[in-house]
Amino acid sequence: MIRFDNSYARLPEGFFTRTRPTPVRDPKLVALNRPLAERLGFDAVWLAGPEGVAMLAGNTLPEGAEPIAQAYAGHQFGGFVPQLGDGRAVLLGEVVAPDGARFDIQLKGAGPTPFSRRGDGRAWLGPVLREYLVSEFMAAFGIPTTRALAAVTTGETVIRETLLPGAVLTRVAASHIRVGTFEFYAARGDRQRLQLLADHVIARHYPDASGAADLLQRVVERQAATIAGWMALGFIHGVMNTDNMSVSGETIDYGPCAFMDGYRPDKVFSSIDAHGRYAWNEQPNIAVWNLAQFASCLVPLMGNDDAAVAEATRIVHSFPELYQAEWLRRFAAKLGIAAPRPEDRALIERLLTLMAADEADFTRSFAGLADGRARDEFKAPEQFDAWAEGWQARIRDLSDAAQVMARANPCRIPRNHRIEEVIAAGREGDYAPFHALDAALRAPFEDRPEWEGYALAPQPDEIVRRTFCGT
Ligand code: AMP
Ligand code: MG
């Protein structure tokens, strides 16, 4: 039995539309995240059985669920779209875990909703497996993120450029409330609902925040930490539209996301990001842009006068300093420095410059610092050696530094070519590669001989250069 307590569905009319998932022909469980099920207080054995799978596919509604599609708007690639909303996701409801934490349980790919526009409301297996692997890796590494509870196939095909196997992801999130949710009401001048939404978010995510200004400050802080975490992994979200930015600070909506192999600061993978708006090194700037949109939504709740605008502006402008501090903490730890000093920034930047010049592998270059293999990643190792002299002088004791690095530099990441491999096998009904990669990604700091292959950079013919939207 799952105990629901659906606080969002108790908000008044206008925040969502009641919508049921559309049943699918032949649901089959591909993956169940048992540790997460346990954390939520769910019975994993029941979930993996026929009744559980029917629920995870949207074929039956658990007691207490109040399925809804949430309304939101959003800036997509800089242009405002007043009406987006859950077009291929249905929120079943909220559960309160044994430790008191509240989570949304959402089925992504659950069929059309009133917000589907021209879409079919479905997802295919590829993006479902990708989101499952990547979001769980992010969680294992310690980056705020939505989680993946389960993946099921539907026994139906979805039509994209070709016919593809359909799937549903059960996503778990602190909430699915986005910057775009605020924009939806702000754009309509609906001050009353804006206030209700702000009150809801404060009660749910920032209970000690004193009002709209404080809410803005907290979201700025959370986003600064999350995005610094992305940067430290070479992660590129790919579609940082305001409707894909969570006010809880969790990474959300893994679409054409990717991790860099060779380091290039302006790296872009997404096929639709023609101008590199969401390139790796643009992510902190885009976060500020998005947070400025959030701030302008909150101004009406902060007095709606010049003083409110000045206050909101000041808070948004606090992002760079917060972000820089998180960045320094994350990257210094990657060099084995637990208590960074301002001058460490230059040391880190010099290494990144050398890495960029050689397109050295991002993950391997850092992971190899502890065992001396990092220099193998460079075409010009003499320059690396010169840098390493300064680095060694700074850290002094390599074994102390190695302990810090062991928790900051993952042995492996969800490499794009590995994900593609898993998806290709999954399309043939073989999920063994998925489960093997999932197990390895859940232990990002643990070395095991059978996982060595996952640490390798792609061979030239394996390199993935483009990724596509989640649809
Ligand atoms: P995204 O940027 O991928 O998170 O999606 C942007 C918007 O498109 C959201 O409102 C989605 O709900 C909607 N959308 C994406 N794919 C589909 C689909 N297959 N069917 C209906 N709506 C979709
Ligand atoms: Mg989205």
Side-chain angles (χ1 to χ4, degrees):
M1 251 275 288
I2 296 172
R3 262 196 301 281
F4 284 94
D5 176 46
N6 308 320
S7 65
Y8 201 84
R10 287 197 289 273
L11 289 172
E13 195 187 317
F15 283 94
F16 53 81
T17 306
R18 297 193 187 273
T19 320
R20 295 171 72 97
T22 306
V24 300
R25 192 163 62 209
D26 183 21
K28 290 220 161 59
L29 188 66
V30 171
L32 177 67
N33 187 345
R34 283 165 205 280
L36 180 59
E38 219 159 88
R39 197 233 170 287
L40 294 169
F42 293 176
D43 177 351
V45 175
W46 180 84
L47 273 176
E51 287 176 39
V53 174
M55 178 195 89
L56 297 169
N59 283 14
T60 58
L61 271 185
E63 202 183 311
E66 293 177 82
I68 59 172
Q70 289 175 308
Y72 53 84
H75 277 87
Q76 300 194 311
F77 290 90
F80 186 62
V81 183
Q83 169 94 51
L84 287 164
D86 291 331
R88 57 166 158 178
V90 173
L91 179 62
L92 292 183
E94 299 157 34
V95 297
V96 180
D99 68 351
R102 177 179 294 271
F103 294 98
D104 271 5
I105 309 292
Q106 191 202 61
L107 301 183
K108 190 168 176 182
T113 77
F115 305 117
S116 294
R117 293 170 293 163
R118 286 177 302 280
D120 59 2
R122 292 298 186 190
W124 80 273
L125 183 64
V128 166
L129 296 184
R130 173 182 278 116
E131 176 159 343
Y132 192 109
L133 292 168
V134 175
S135 66
E136 286 303 304
F137 168 78
M138 296 290 256
F141 185 77
I143 310 270
T145 177
T146 63
R147 305 286 304 269
L149 177 63
V152 295
T153 49
T154 60
E156 298 177 1
T157 47
V158 296
I159 307 166
R160 295 294 179 262
E161 267 141 43
T162 55
L163 292 180
L164 296 162
V168 177
L169 179 82
T170 305
R171 184 158 72 177
V172 176
S175 84
H176 284 83
I177 304 168
R178 305 140 192 275
V179 168
T181 317
F182 281 81
E183 290 180 287
F184 186 88
Y185 305 100
R188 286 161 178 76
D190 188 345
R191 200 182 166 286
Q192 196 194 348
R193 285 196 177 76
L194 209 48
Q195 185 70 59
L196 283 170
L197 182 64
D199 292 346
H200 177 89
V201 168
I202 289 171
R204 192 159 167 183
H205 298 303
Y206 307 99
D208 55 349
S210 60
D214 215 15
L215 168 62
L216 176 59
Q217 182 69 62
R218 305 301 169 93
V219 176
V220 166
E221 286 164 11
R222 294 259 183 112
Q223 285 293 342
T226 296
I227 290 173
W230 295 358
M231 302 305 276
L233 285 173
F235 175 76
I236 303 160
H237 181 283
V239 220
M240 286 178 72
N241 294 332
T242 55
D243 51 300
N244 293 335
M245 184 181 251
S246 161
V247 296
S248 77
E250 289 181 341
T251 311
I252 193 171
D253 280 7
Y254 293 86
C257 67
F259 292 82
M260 281 193 261
D261 297 304
Y263 176 59
R264 266 194 55 186
D266 60 353
K267 193 81 188 160
V268 176
F269 286 92
S270 170
S271 60
I272 56 168
D273 191 3
H275 303 289
R277 179 179 170 89
Y278 301 136
W280 180 79
N281 59 356
E282 288 298 327
Q283 296 183 118
N285 301 329
I286 285 294
V288 173
W289 195 92
N290 289 350
L291 290 164
Q293 307 312 311
F294 184 46
S296 69
C297 295
L298 293 177
V299 163
L301 308 181
M302 292 168 58
N304 211 20
D305 53 9
D306 289 352
V309 173
E311 170 83 338
T313 305
R314 182 191 64 74
I315 296 169
V316 172
H317 286 172
S318 73
F319 182 97
E321 199 179 322
L322 292 163
Y323 167 78
Q324 290 298 342
E326 285 293 325
W327 182 95
L328 181 60
R329 192 179 64 74
R330 288 263 185 196
F331 277 84
K334 294 176 83 61
L335 300 192
I337 300 165
R341 302 196 284 251
E343 61 271 25
D344 292 329
R345 184 172 297 279
L347 184 69
I348 300 163
E349 296 282 10
R350 280 205 302 280
L351 176 60
L352 288 170
T353 303
L354 294 178
M355 285 167 58
D358 284 0
E359 273 198 54
D361 188 84
F362 187 86
T363 306
R364 293 178 63 85
S365 295
F366 286 107
L369 288 173
D371 62 13
R373 285 191 294 189
R375 87 187 290 280
D376 302 344
E377 302 300 322
F378 292 83
K379 293 182 197 116
E382 318 73 46
Q383 292 192 16
F384 171 79
D385 292 341
W387 173 86
E389 245 175 68
W391 170 60
Q392 271 148 12
R394 168 68 178 96
I395 58 169
R396 297 228 196 90
D397 185 293
L398 183 59
S399 72
D400 284 353
Q403 287 190 22
V404 177
M405 289 190 279
R407 290 187 301 274
N409 296 324
C411 307
R412 66 196 74 80
I413 53 164
R415 295 203 184 247
N416 309 312
H417 67 296
R418 289 295 186 175
I419 292 180
E420 294 302 333
E421 211 172 82
V422 159
I423 293 171
R427 286 178 67 175
E428 304 299 320
D430 176 11
Y431 299 108
F434 166 84
H435 290 297
L437 181 57
D438 183 41
L441 292 174
R442 280 174 192 283
F445 306 118
E446 193 186 321
D447 243 335
R448 280 205 214 161
E450 70 264 33
W451 291 340
E452 259 169 31
Y454 295 132
L456 300 176
Q459 295 295 312
D461 62 331
E462 293 175 320
I463 296 174
V464 174
R465 293 170 208 282
R466 279 270 163 271
T467 53
F468 301 90
C469 276
T471 25

